[in-house]
Amino acid sequence: MEKILEVENLHVTFNTYGGTVQAVRGVDFHLNKGETLAIVGESGCGKSVTSNAIMRLIPDPPGKITNGAILFKGKDLAKYSEKKMRSIRGVDISMIFQDPMTALNPTLTIGTQLMEGLRAHRKVSGNKAKEKAIEMMDLVGISNPEERLKQYPHQFSGGMRQRIVIAIALICEPDLLIADEPTTALDVTIQAQILELFEKIQESTGVSIILITHDLGVVAKIADRIAVMYAGKIIETGTKREIFYDPQHPYTKGLLNSVPRLDLKEERLTPIDGTPPDLFSPPAGCPFTARCPFAMEVCNKVYPADSEITGSHKVNCWLQDERAKQLLATII
Ligand code: SF4
């Protein structure tokens, strides 16, 4: 499969009065052309920082990409100037944020906002831009598009506004769409409609999608592959089937046990006890040690390497690494 994005050893820090927060600590993953990769984890695990780093939207200062490569179609975005990134954002890579209300300008018509990016980046005529805007409104399921282009955001419901935000993100036909919690602000029915819309759009445009979410229900619906993040690291990756039916990392198992399942009638939900480590001074070893019921001496001291479960499934946990015993003998 052709890879459209490869993130290698990405590190992002934030300088604060209290010290330096190591928000993303050596993240590696890739995205294949035309697939949806979900990055999941609790809030503060670094998933949104990772997606903002891909867009080069980390405010510097206080933030900084301190190491790593972000290869988009083989070119390293981490090395691009701000000017060059401006020509990529919204054109080759687009991003959708959680709150559709703040993403839209209340003082401009929907049509103006839809056509803005197209006219700025693709240099098309007014008529062509209008034609494309109507086509996009159609694609995202908004009826009477010609009339509705003249309306303002407050004349649209929350779900409709999110459809507009998606249309704006896709109007320049980007190769990569990053959706950061795109359905969190919506009610459940509208959420389901928006997820269906993502599937339909991917089918018709072939866009590759990174979905950032804490919601495993959303992941189950549309992801092809899943990367689980914890304390600034990706601790397990696999296909949707592998992660849901054969999770290996105790944190992934904990996440799955803490969400309700419709197929199990009598089920006890088990929250994960404890809190993630302080990223001002993250531990040298596995960051899940303090919360993990299987933690061993070695876990606290050395970060576990990648263990391959299958060609598409890998995990960072000493339980899967037969060298744990030998290593323990050398460090005690
Ligand atoms: Fe638990 Fe150790 Fe595996 Fe971390 S490496 S998840 S502490 S068993």
Side-chain angles (χ1 to χ4, degrees), residues 157-168:
S157 67
M160 287 293 178
R161 284 196 291 264
Q162 191 61 313
R163 285 171 190 266
I164 299 290
V165 169
I166 294 170
I168 292 173

Side-chain angles (χ1 to χ4, degrees), residues 249-250 286 288-289 292 294-296 299 304 316-319:
H249 198 285
C286 172
F288 195 57
T289 309
C292 179
F294 311 102
M296 303 168 278
C299 304
N316 296 86
C317 174
W318 281 115
L319 291 175

Side-chain angles (χ1 to χ4, degrees), residues 110-118 133 136-137 149 164 167-168 171:
I110 293 299
T112 306
Q113 297 185 61
L114 259 169
M115 290 183 271
E116 208 169 38
L118 198 60
M136 291 311 297
M137 297 270 274
L149 281 180
I164 299 290
I168 292 173
I171 199 159

Side-chain angles (χ1 to χ4, degrees), residues 42-236:
E42 292 164 299
S43 75
C45 69
K47 54 191 193 305
S48 290
V49 176
T50 302
S51 64
N52 285 334
I54 296 168
M55 291 295 274
R56 294 281 312 281
L57 287 175
I58 301 288
D60 179 4
K64 201 169 194 53
I65 297 176
T66 52
N67 205 350
I70 302 161
L71 302 172
F72 174 65
K73 296 193 200 168
K75 303 255 170 61
D76 189 359
L77 300 183
K79 296 202 171 103
Y80 277 17
S81 64
E82 177 52 26
K83 190 173 168 215
K84 181 101 174 138
M85 276 312 296
R86 273 202 295 269
S87 69
I88 298 225
R89 287 190 207 112
V91 183
D92 298 292
I93 309 178
S94 274
M95 194 159 181
I96 298 169
F97 296 96
Q98 182 174 329
D99 188 350
M101 207 47 213
T102 53
L104 294 172
N105 184 334
T107 66
L108 296 176
T109 64
I110 293 299
T112 306
Q113 297 185 61
L114 259 169
M115 290 183 271
E116 208 169 38
L118 198 60
R119 298 198 64 179
H121 297 295
R122 297 276 190 236
K123 309 274 181 269
V124 298
S125 69
N127 278 348
K128 274 263 172 262
K130 191 174 172 194
E131 243 174 61
K132 186 72 185 172
I134 290 172
E135 187 194 311
M136 291 311 297
M137 297 270 274
D138 248 348
L139 179 72
V140 298
I142 293 187
S143 53
N144 288 331
E146 198 148 1
E147 276 309 301
R148 304 217 78 178
L149 281 180
K150 297 174 204 149
Q151 295 182 330
Y152 288 85
H154 74 270
Q155 293 170 286
F156 287 72
S157 67
M160 287 293 178
R161 284 196 291 264
Q162 191 61 313
R163 285 171 190 266
I164 299 290
V165 169
I166 294 170
I168 292 173
L170 293 172
I171 199 159
C172 289
E173 300 175 4
D175 295 308
L176 171 58
L177 178 68
I178 301 175
D180 190 354
E181 304 277 7
T183 57
T184 305
L186 305 172
D187 71 48
V188 179
T189 319
I190 307 297
Q191 204 175 70
Q193 291 171 8
I194 295 291
L195 293 178
E196 271 166 31
L197 178 61
F198 273 111
E199 286 179 306
K200 179 181 147 196
I201 283 166
Q202 194 164 47
E203 248 176 62
S204 60
T205 65
V207 66
S208 312
I209 300 176
I210 293 181
L211 174 73
I212 308 289
T213 184
H214 66 280
D215 185 337
L216 290 170
V218 169
V219 174
K221 183 100 179 69
I222 63 169
D224 297 306
R225 286 191 307 119
I226 300 171
V228 184
M229 269 194 95
Y230 186 78
K233 286 181 175 286
I234 288 183
I235 48 98
E236 185 163 7

